[in-house]
Amino acid sequence: MEERQGRRIVLFPSPFQGHIRPMVQLGNLLHTRGFSITIVHTTFNSPDPFLYPHFTFHFLHENISSQSQTDIIAFLKVLNTNCVQPLTDCLTRLISDDHEYPISCLISDAGLTFTGKVANQLKLPRLVLRTGGATSLSVFAAFPFLREKGYLPIQESRLEEQVPEFPHLKVKDLPVIKTTNPEDLFELVNGMIDGTKSSAGVIFNTFQELEDPAIAAISQHFQVPIFPIGPFHKLLPAKPPTQPDQTAAIDWLDKQAPSSVIYVSFGTLAAINEQDFVEIAWGLANSKQPFLWVVRPGLVNGLDWLDLLPDGLIEDLKERGLIVKWAPQLQVLAHPSIAVFWTHNGWNSTLESICEGVPMICMPFFTDQKVNARYARDVWRVGLGFESVKLIEREEIERVIRRAMVGEEGKEIRKRVLEWKEMARVCLGENKGSSFQSLERLVSHILSI
Ligand code: UDX
């Protein structure tokens, strides 16, 4: 520990919850390994520095708060443009300040495509944190090829076609997202892949056993050191929730029977239309199972929370379930009353579900979520899904819930996810675990820079 002190690492997360959380977890991990941690963050969506007194914070005045986030790709384009100068200025100041520790490296989110150039100009080594999975990254890396072969941009008529180069994926599973200018998506993905290939190493919040083939392919094609050191959150002490609305969810779960509750949450960015929202509500009500449903403000395009649902249905829902605006997901998934997680398959949610041995009902919305969902269903075989890519219908919801809760399939996916949970535990084991070893390598790598 002693010999590792005296080095400072600068972390720069992408300013979205699903990216900030793993970056902060990585910061905590590296801090426990003796590094001093500085977080550079946009003013937009910034975490509260008082929650992390062991980190030093610097904020960029990047002027993006007024930018609409409905089109995530357009938003990222502006972010990747507006942050160039503020980040350059900030890092220049940090490099030349009289902090007692010199900066070893910058670790920036893979999606912040401009950070490679900035770091190069300042001669600052840069590692990349890929907050999503390795498998989806390997699909992103194949985008030029998939375009050449005509799989991208996706054509309606080819949705059900298998992609031979990725035997588990159909065209409908390719990690795209709607955006005003589709070229922006390709540009962003190219920037992410080029910036990752030219980095001093890639850190993944995954474990070797889960994504072995993709990790091997990336090692071979990217030619940079690879560090799969996840699941990050399992390497850190769990923090019990303290805010009243969050403890309420746990108090409610305490009153439910073991393995009886469906937990429903679609992450921090996905939005659904009014019709789908109403169908989900009916599907849950008709399933007659207890449920905990996160209806995040903003989940339903432009509408405030439960406004849409008829009073009778709300009463019906409240009899059997609890609807909250935010849940302490890590504690929820670890709770013995949880039976199934109906998820959008953001990478964090997918990994967290696997780590707690909770089978999934997969309903991806966009980008990597589609790849994660397909792998959860067909490769790791820990999830069930909906067949339709467009319509969510209450009858199908009921059917899928029944298959997951009471059917033979449900039993099988439960058994398998418990096997994965065990593998996730073993990979963290001191000395022999694959993630433990990767973390040791990462620490030595940073120290050698
Ligand atoms: C985004 C992208 O959409 C996704 O494709 C990418 O993999 C990561 O970033 P997001 O919607 O944020 O995903 O979902 P996810 O990756 O699952 O992260 C959400 C995080 O918020 C999880 O760590 C989850 O535990 C937490 N969360 C979410 C809560 O703690 N409570 C909630 O109520 C909802």
Side-chain angles (χ1 to χ4, degrees):
M1 190 82 167
E2 270 311 301
E3 65 177 297
R4 286 178 187 158
Q5 284 171 350
R7 301 291 186 101
R8 185 162 43 137
I9 299 175
V10 179
L11 305 182
F12 184 33
S14 187
F16 297 102
Q17 277 309 319
H19 294 249
I20 299 168
R21 288 165 74 97
M23 186 66 95
V24 166
Q25 288 163 350
L26 176 66
N28 280 327
L29 272 176
L30 293 172
H31 187 263
T32 62
R33 295 303 181 110
F35 292 100
S36 160
I37 301 296
T38 295
I39 300 214
V40 173
H41 207 285
T42 54
T43 316
F44 166 79
N45 251 357
S46 65
D48 181 355
F50 287 107
L51 295 176
Y52 310 98
H54 52 306
F55 296 159
T56 308
F57 280 83
H58 292 270
F59 294 102
L60 304 182
H61 300 288
E62 75 293 329
N63 198 19
I64 49 165
S65 301
S66 57
Q67 193 68 31
S68 159
Q69 292 154 56
T70 337
D71 183 337
I72 296 173
I73 300 300
F75 180 85
L76 283 172
K77 189 175 178 177
V78 176
L79 180 78
N80 275 312
T81 308
N82 284 23
C83 287
V84 176
Q85 201 52 50
L87 181 72
T88 310
D89 296 346
C90 178
L91 291 177
T92 307
R93 272 196 312 275
L94 288 176
I95 290 167
S96 58
D97 70 10
D98 55 2
H99 193 286
E100 52 189 320
Y101 304 135
I103 298 175
S104 286
C105 62
L106 167 71
I107 303 180
S108 59
D109 189 287
L112 297 173
T113 53
F114 68 100
T115 54
K117 269 194 196 140
V118 171
N120 269 352
Q121 270 168 12
L122 299 173
K123 301 201 168 27
L124 187 61
R126 165 183 173 258
L127 280 89
V128 162
L129 170 63
R130 163 74 183 154
T131 56
T135 309
S136 54
L137 187 72
S138 69
V139 182
F140 282 127
F143 262 30
F145 168 80
L146 293 170
R147 276 188 98 173
E148 213 178 280
K149 289 267 177 178
Y151 296 115
L152 292 175
I154 290 181
Q155 295 159 39
E156 287 283 309
S157 57
R158 299 185 72 177
L159 285 177
E160 295 299 328
E161 236 177 81
Q162 210 73 41
V163 181
E165 293 73 16
F166 291 96
H168 301 290
L169 301 183
K170 291 183 174 176
V171 170
K172 67 181 178 185
D173 303 317
L174 293 175
V176 295
I177 182 170
K178 275 204 189 108
T179 174
T180 325
N181 178 9
E183 272 315 309
D184 289 346
L185 171 66
F186 294 118
E187 204 177 287
L188 182 74
V189 168
N190 282 346
M192 175 171 78
I193 298 301
D194 289 350
T196 305
K197 284 180 175 167
S198 60
S199 72
V202 195
I203 304 166
F204 283 99
N205 186 14
T206 189
F207 55 103
Q208 185 81 37
E209 292 75 359
L210 187 66
E211 298 196 276
D212 203 19
I215 292 170
I218 290 170
S219 295
Q220 195 189 342
H221 294 123
F222 282 44
Q223 300 278 314
V224 290
I226 305 283
F227 305 99
I229 61 168
F232 294 174
H233 69 285
K234 283 291 180 185
L235 283 160
L236 298 161
K239 274 197 197 146
T242 47
Q243 287 151 346
D245 54 336
Q246 302 205 351
T247 48
I250 301 296
D251 291 346
W252 182 84
L253 288 174
D254 285 343
K255 296 189 194 97
Q256 310 305 315
S259 290
S260 65
V261 177
I262 309 165
Y263 171 53
V264 189
S265 171
F266 306 131
T268 64
L269 292 173
I272 54 181
N273 64 34
E274 299 172 23
Q275 194 189 346
D276 287 347
F277 182 65
V278 173
E279 289 301 306
I280 291 171
W282 276 114
L284 283 172
N286 295 346
S287 78
K288 311 276 184 237
Q289 299 287 337
F291 62 85
L292 172 63
W293 183 15
V294 180
V295 180
R296 197 190 74 237
L299 174 68
V300 188
N301 292 328
L303 282 163
D304 194 22
W305 225 47
L306 304 180
D307 280 358
L308 269 176
L309 305 179
D311 287 347
L313 176 57
I314 294 187
E315 290 317 309
D316 204 20
L317 288 168
K318 281 186 180 162
E319 254 173 46
R320 205 164 286 114
L322 183 69
I323 304 180
V324 294
K325 293 185 178 173
W326 185 257
Q329 185 162 303
L330 294 176
Q331 286 74 26
V332 167
L333 289 171
H335 198 282
S337 70
I338 295 295
V340 171
F341 181 13
W342 181 0
T343 172
H344 70 311
N345 287 109
W347 183 248
N348 297 293
S349 293
T350 305
L351 201 58
E352 289 162 11
S353 206
I354 288 174
C355 287
E356 298 310 332
V358 177
M360 289 170 249
I361 292 176
C362 305
M363 193 175 80
F365 288 73
F366 46 68
T367 60
D368 65 320
Q369 300 165 13
K370 291 154 160 253
V371 176
N372 305 337
R374 180 58 63 197
Y375 268 63
R377 290 174 63 177
D378 294 353
V379 179
W380 308 315
R381 297 193 293 143
V382 295
L384 301 176
F386 299 94
E387 286 324 313
S388 156
V389 276
K390 288 206 183 114
L391 288 177
I392 305 173
E393 284 175 340
R394 63 191 79 174
E395 292 80 12
E396 199 189 349
I397 294 172
E398 267 185 79
R399 264 196 305 278
V400 174
I401 291 179
R402 213 169 309 118
R403 278 167 61 204
M405 298 292 286
V406 293
E408 209 38 52
E409 271 176 299
K411 270 193 208 143
E412 274 170 29
I413 57 172
R414 192 154 294 117
K415 187 170 153 259
R416 248 179 328 261
V417 76
L418 288 172
E419 290 165 7
W420 280 113
K421 175 184 177 178
E422 177 58 11
M423 278 189 250
R425 191 189 65 77
V426 170
C427 80
L428 301 176
E430 230 164 88
N431 301 323
K432 288 202 176 133
S434 60
S435 290
F436 179 91
Q437 289 177 353
S438 288
L439 181 57
E440 293 294 297
R441 271 196 304 113
L442 173 65
V443 170
S444 313
H445 183 64
I446 294 176
L447 287 171
S448 73
I449 289 175

